Amino acid sequence: GTDPYKLISRGIGYVSAFLGTFKTVHEKKIPTVATNSFGWCTWDAFYSKVNREGIAKGLSTFQSEDVPVGFMILDDGWQSAKNDQKWRRPEVQSGDEHDASSSSS
């Protein structure tokens, strides 16, 4: 096709089906807390160096500045990009590979 957005969406769908480790945005229900309040993600503040003291200090700072935090995402790193074998579906582990380029949908 010529629509890059549809191409990307289909590509992500193929990867999701192949790995079986995540759902696409179209398969997920967006929690209302994420759209109706301010949230804080520890990745933005600490990257992979998340620690108890830093989280406590961050939350304390929000409180002292009267910033209401509706939710917090405790995130210490990116999703694995190395296809960690213990999280893969058995049929993928056994070598039943799916070639997305041969799919017709």
Side-chain angles (χ1 to χ4, degrees), residues 83-99:
N83 297 328
D84 186 339
Q85 290 300 315
K86 83 177 191 180
W87 299 110
R88 294 183 84 182
R89 295 188 328 253
E91 64 271 21
V92 176
Q93 289 180 7
S94 68
D96 182 16
E97 300 293 326
H98 172 74
D99 182 0

Side-chain angles (χ1 to χ4, degrees), residues 5-99:
Y5 298 105
K6 286 182 182 178
L7 180 62
I8 290 170
S9 182
R10 278 184 38 202
I12 294 296
Y14 290 137
V15 172
S16 173
F18 174 76
L19 292 177
T21 58
F22 68 95
K23 292 181 180 181
T24 67
V25 69
H26 304 291
E27 299 171 302
K28 296 179 181 180
K29 182 179 176 187
I30 298 174
T32 56
V33 70
T35 58
N36 297 330
S37 62
F38 171 75
W40 180 48
C41 178
T42 59
W43 175 257
D44 295 327
F46 306 111
Y47 300 102
S48 61
K49 306 280 191 249
V50 175
N51 62 73
R52 182 186 307 225
E53 294 78 18
I55 293 169
K57 183 177 179 184
L59 292 173
S60 176
T61 300
F62 287 128
Q63 185 176 27
S64 69
E65 297 295 324
D66 292 324
V67 176
V69 178
F71 65 96
M72 181 179 83
I73 300 171
L74 183 58
D75 185 354
D76 65 352
W78 293 99
Q79 179 178 351
S80 173
K82 295 191 180 208
N83 297 328
D84 186 339
Q85 290 300 315
K86 83 177 191 180
W87 299 110
R88 294 183 84 182
R89 295 188 328 253
E91 64 271 21
V92 176
Q93 289 180 7
S94 68
D96 182 16
E97 300 293 326
H98 172 74
D99 182 0

